[in-house]
Amino acid sequence: MAIRSFGAVNGAGTAVREGQPRPPIQAAALGVGCFIGPFERGLANGVTYAPNEKAFARRLGGRIGADATTGASVVPDCAQDYWLHGGGAGELVCVRVTDGHEVASDLKLYSRHWGTGFGAAQSDLDGQAQIKLPLLQIKAKNGGRWGGRARKLRAAVSATGKITATTIDTETVMLANEWKGATLELDAVSGKTYKVLSNNAAGVLTVETGATMATDMGANVDLGYSLSLGAKVETNGVRKALAVKVINATIDPGNEFGLEIYVDGDRKLVYSDLAMDSASPRYFKSVINDDPLNFEVEAVDLWNGSTPNVPDIRPANWYGMPSAIDSESITFLPFQVTSVEDAKVSVVGVEFGTAYEGLPVKLTFTWALGTTKYVVTATGLYGKSVVTSLPDFTVGAGEQIAKQYNPGATHAKWLKWLPKITIDHTGGAPADTKKFVVEIAPLPSAVLPGAYVLPDAKSKPLTAIRVRSATYRKVTLDGDPTVAGLAPVQAVVTGTVAEGAGFAVVAGNNDKLLLSADGRKDVEVTLTAGAAVTTAAIVAEINAAFDLVYAPAGSVNPASVYTDDAGDKFLRLSSAWYEGGGKRSSIAIKTQLTHAYTILGLSVAVTQGTNGTEAGLQFADECGGGYDGAAPADADYLAALAIGSSPLNKVPHSKGVLLTACPDVTSTAVQQAGLAYAAAKAHLFEVIEPANKLNDQDAIDFIDTTIGRGEDASTLFPSYGNVRDPDKSGVLKSVPLVGSRFGLDAKYAAANGHYCAPAAGVDAVLQRVISLPTGEDPVNGEALNPKGLNVVKFRGTTAVVWGGRTLAGATGEKFRSKRLQLSHYIHTLLDQFDYVVFALNDPDTRDSLKTDLRTFFVKEWQKRALRGNAFDDACLIKIDDENNTAADEDAGNLNAEIAVRITGFAERVIFTIGKMGVSENVSA
């Protein structure tokens, strides 16, 4: 208790000390529900608080359908019924039970570099390396498909026998049901896909009933297959995923960035100003992870200051140097060569087939000198892409120039997922085990419509054009990007001497050219002598010489005929780089004896293309790879209800009695654990009768012989009701009624300020119930009520709770509202009286304590929670020398005895009526 002093302190005089009154006792909360079971999201195997319906939806998600890897759950339905029937009252304390194998979805964001193309010089722009660096990772704060389930798998089985009509044994270790809902495509079957219903941990997938996969394969022995699981799309078009959008910072847009976080298309968080520098007060990791209002994401620093902190060390949803820009579209380069360990190796071509769909993956080529081949492995970049069974890449003698890796050579459908990659061993074979790495990063075309392109992201970051449609590399726009962005220009050299009557080529005098395209191997050209050689003939000979060095024919041909407006013909040499330009493209004319440069009007020099403007994309980029885990087992529930270690033990007593249930579970072990926990912690556990218990005696026997009894438990019979399925038009769904009942508890308690008025009777309407599983015949309340089974029945067209008892045995409180009110007082006393602990154990403290208790219980009596004509009839408080002896004081005990008369309710209304006798006077 705070004290202020006035007047004299050290000198003579009067001093006054003002004592602050002790705050009144705050009663514990009323009507707090507690559901234990699967939720769409939320802290796994821990407590999540939901003070209102909006908070519940944000922290724990929505309904769980059969597409979840855990299977369908009715726990969220019960929570929604709680809010519906509570009318704004109450609070939920929930424990999300999982099997412990859930996986959080994630997304990696890369730096604002334009990528490395074919691994040419890396300082062409900004004086720094241009490899796109992974800077930060955004992870869902907890596991589950809610954050994005996208994943892909590309592999092959070992034998045709691994595929039956409805199963495929992938021989790959998997998480149970991680591919549930995925699309399976067999390389041997064209134009047909199969929906995956389930998979086990050994990698055996089961597809929809009626499939004929083995028959569909016929005699085709191609054993490749693909699995693809995208974001779930609701009927209203909403994509179920966590998504991240990079935005411009407001304080320092030239050096910092911002993030917007979306869930299912709704923006949940905005961080306007973030920095990569860990010393900054706006360091992104601290700002995001320390935000008390952030229930969605966790930020991970992947950069950690490993390179100089320059403006390009900021994340972007997509950033790069376009390969082409026209009046309505921009085309990007969807790959980068991130490392080449041996200078003898260069990557000179990446070719995407017409069927390519996009797979974000890192390909690592490791040279095996003894077998002259690359062993090719793949790991997912993001979205949990997995690729196995990749063919190796042999580079034999005489194949060291323009050798192409074609993954489609063994399984044609590989080209749907991976490009062809062409390399040169210009100086011979590399050293053993040396690697080169290519990252394939296609645009996420499904989420790009409605996004924005920044055609000149570096110089004009506020100029944005809306995306109309997209492929894995090209975006078509609603405006003209050339007003702000510039396309890269290809390296071109044009001769200054026109063909005229023809060029005079003299053997051994001026018949030689030595050329190089894009920094690749030099090609020597010998021109056929003649007095009047045409430009077309020279072009043909240059291209033929390149065809002898590079395969396939025409892939690197640099020469063509240029005709100006006057009709004169000049020789033109251009970069072979198929992406169309930039400083990575070059034409080199090199010194050579008996050269033909002069007659063609060429000069010995290296000519490079020019880069365009750096372009970026701003869009809500989806996370992927989320996994719910398998359906929790009884052991997972038992851990949540363990008396000594339950996460509920951390719930403060200020929350009061927890109205607890496990709506998905009717197993004996779990419900008995619930009864035991409630008894040990002064809570209430709602026992759920199995749905197949449809007659009175079966329901009674289930309690008496299977579950057991206790005054801290109650049940409804029937425990289930049929409601309209909110996700399927015209279909009824069976849900436990416990959510509705707890909501009514919260509503009644809030209205009265106590539990004494039971949540039962004509006003205790179960709003959504259309029918009961027991059918039209009413259950027998005469048999059920004495046994503590609270009846659910129809009164007219509405279903109501018609009972207010506990499952107490021969002893114990039989009325549910009285038990709840007494437990409510227990939690209030446990919560509010720590101030007495370590106080002086003397009559003054006892009197003070008695005064506080009396003040509290008088209010309870005044609101009719306690019954008595006078307060002393309703509550007795004894704290005196009689129950606080010297021995008690020596033991450190202060004893307070409280006896309350809790107000009951009328379970039956008994009218006595009879015929009056002739001598009775009714008017008296």
Side-chain angles (χ1 to χ4, degrees), residues 496-520:
T496 59
V497 177
E499 176 184 311
F503 298 105
V505 178
V506 180
N509 181 25
N510 62 354
D511 60 347
K512 304 289 186 183
L513 292 171
L514 186 62
L515 307 174
S516 173
D518 296 333
R520 299 170 68 176

Side-chain angles (χ1 to χ4, degrees), residues 99-160:
D99 70 343
H101 294 103
E102 68 281 352
V103 178
S105 61
D106 74 302
L107 173 72
K108 291 179 181 177
L109 294 175
Y110 285 72
S111 61
R112 302 187 187 196
H113 294 103
W114 44 265
T116 59
F118 298 120
Q122 300 305 301
S123 59
D124 291 344
L125 193 66
D126 297 340
Q128 58 174 305
Q130 289 301 316
I131 296 175
K132 293 182 181 180
L133 303 173
L135 295 184
L136 61 90
Q137 180 184 30
I138 297 296
K139 298 173 61 178
K141 208 157 195 175
N142 41 73
R145 283 187 167 186
W146 73 270
R149 66 181 189 177
R151 60 183 67 225
K152 292 184 179 182
L153 171 63
R154 172 68 207 179
V157 298
S158 61
T160 55

Side-chain angles (χ1 to χ4, degrees), residues 605-623:
V606 177
T607 301
Q608 289 183 307
T610 58
N611 288 312
T613 53
E614 299 174 47
L617 281 166
Q618 284 185 342
F619 60 97
D621 201 359
E622 292 178 348
C623 298

Side-chain angles (χ1 to χ4, degrees), residues 219-244:
N220 195 324
V221 294
D222 193 336
L223 301 179
Y225 69 90
S226 304
L227 282 167
S228 180
L229 182 66
K232 180 182 177 182
V233 181
E234 302 283 26
T235 55
N236 59 2
V238 170
R239 296 176 65 86
K240 297 280 290 183
L242 173 69
V244 184

Side-chain angles (χ1 to χ4, degrees), residues 561-619:
V561 177
Y562 167 68
T563 303
D564 65 11
D565 293 338
D568 297 324
K569 295 178 180 179
F570 300 86
L571 174 67
R572 182 175 66 179
L573 304 173
S574 61
S575 164
W577 184 51
Y578 79 99
E579 290 293 342
K583 288 191 176 181
R584 288 162 288 181
S585 67
S586 65
I587 286 291
I589 300 171
K590 300 187 177 182
T591 303
Q592 174 74 307
L593 294 175
T594 68
H595 63 78
Y597 311 141
T598 303
I599 63 170
L600 298 172
L602 302 175
S603 301
V604 174
V606 177
T607 301
Q608 289 183 307
T610 58
N611 288 312
T613 53
E614 299 174 47
L617 281 166
Q618 284 185 342
F619 60 97

Side-chain angles (χ1 to χ4, degrees), residues 389-724:
S389 310
L390 275 171
D392 293 334
F393 178 25
T394 301
V395 182
E399 297 181 319
Q400 296 188 356
I401 302 298
K403 175 67 174 180
Q404 187 176 71
Y405 173 63
N406 180 8
T410 53
H411 298 289
K413 289 189 178 179
W414 272 113
L415 297 180
K416 182 177 180 179
W417 307 105
L418 297 174
K420 300 175 183 178
I421 296 175
T422 303
I423 67 165
D424 282 350
H425 284 185
T426 55
D432 192 36
T433 73
K434 291 298 183 180
K435 300 178 177 66
F436 71 89
V437 178
V438 182
E439 291 185 356
I440 311 299
L443 296 175
S445 57
V447 299
L448 287 180
Y452 286 88
V453 164
L454 285 59
D456 187 354
K458 184 173 288 292
S459 302
K460 300 175 182 177
L462 300 181
T463 300
I465 304 174
R466 190 177 183 273
V467 175
R468 185 163 68 245
S469 62
T471 69
Y472 71 94
R473 64 180 305 177
K474 182 178 181 179
V475 290
T476 302
L477 308 174
D478 286 337
D480 184 354
T482 63
V483 300
L486 298 175
V489 177
Q490 193 174 18
V492 176
V493 176
T494 302
T496 59
V497 177
E499 176 184 311
F503 298 105
V505 178
V506 180
N509 181 25
N510 62 354
D511 60 347
K512 304 289 186 183
L513 292 171
L514 186 62
L515 307 174
S516 173
D518 296 333
R520 299 170 68 176
K521 183 180 178 67
D522 294 346
V523 175
E524 184 179 71
V525 184
T526 301
L527 303 180
T528 301
V533 180
T534 64
T535 309
I538 294 173
V539 164
E541 290 189 324
I542 292 174
N543 288 338
F546 272 82
D547 283 346
L548 291 174
V549 176
Y550 296 103
S555 62
V556 192
N557 289 355
S560 65
V561 177
Y562 167 68
T563 303
D564 65 11
D565 293 338
D568 297 324
K569 295 178 180 179
F570 300 86
L571 174 67
R572 182 175 66 179
L573 304 173
S574 61
S575 164
W577 184 51
Y578 79 99
E579 290 293 342
K583 288 191 176 181
R584 288 162 288 181
S585 67
S586 65
I587 286 291
I589 300 171
K590 300 187 177 182
T591 303
Q592 174 74 307
L593 294 175
T594 68
H595 63 78
Y597 311 141
T598 303
I599 63 170
L600 298 172
L602 302 175
S603 301
V604 174
V606 177
T607 301
Q608 289 183 307
T610 58
N611 288 312
T613 53
E614 299 174 47
L617 281 166
Q618 284 185 342
F619 60 97
D621 201 359
E622 292 178 348
C623 298
Y627 173 64
D628 300 316
D634 279 3
D636 302 310
Y637 284 93
L638 295 177
L641 290 165
I643 293 173
S645 58
S646 168
L648 292 174
N649 293 348
K650 297 179 181 180
V651 177
H653 291 292
S654 61
K655 298 298 182 185
V657 185
L658 299 182
L659 308 171
T660 308
C662 302
D664 269 356
V665 180
T666 59
S667 74
T668 301
V670 172
Q671 300 213 78
Q672 286 179 339
L675 264 68
Y677 187 82
K681 303 296 182 179
H683 296 309
L684 181 131
F685 185 80
E686 186 79 5
V687 174
I688 297 178
E689 293 266 359
N692 62 357
K693 304 295 181 184
L694 299 178
N695 67 68
D696 305 339
Q697 193 56 52
D698 283 350
I700 294 170
D701 290 345
F702 179 70
I703 299 299
D704 285 339
T705 63
T706 302
I707 300 300
R709 292 187 169 273
E711 65 177 307
D712 297 287
S714 64
T715 192
L716 294 174
F717 183 73
S719 292
Y720 290 82
N722 299 316
V723 304
R724 289 189 176 88

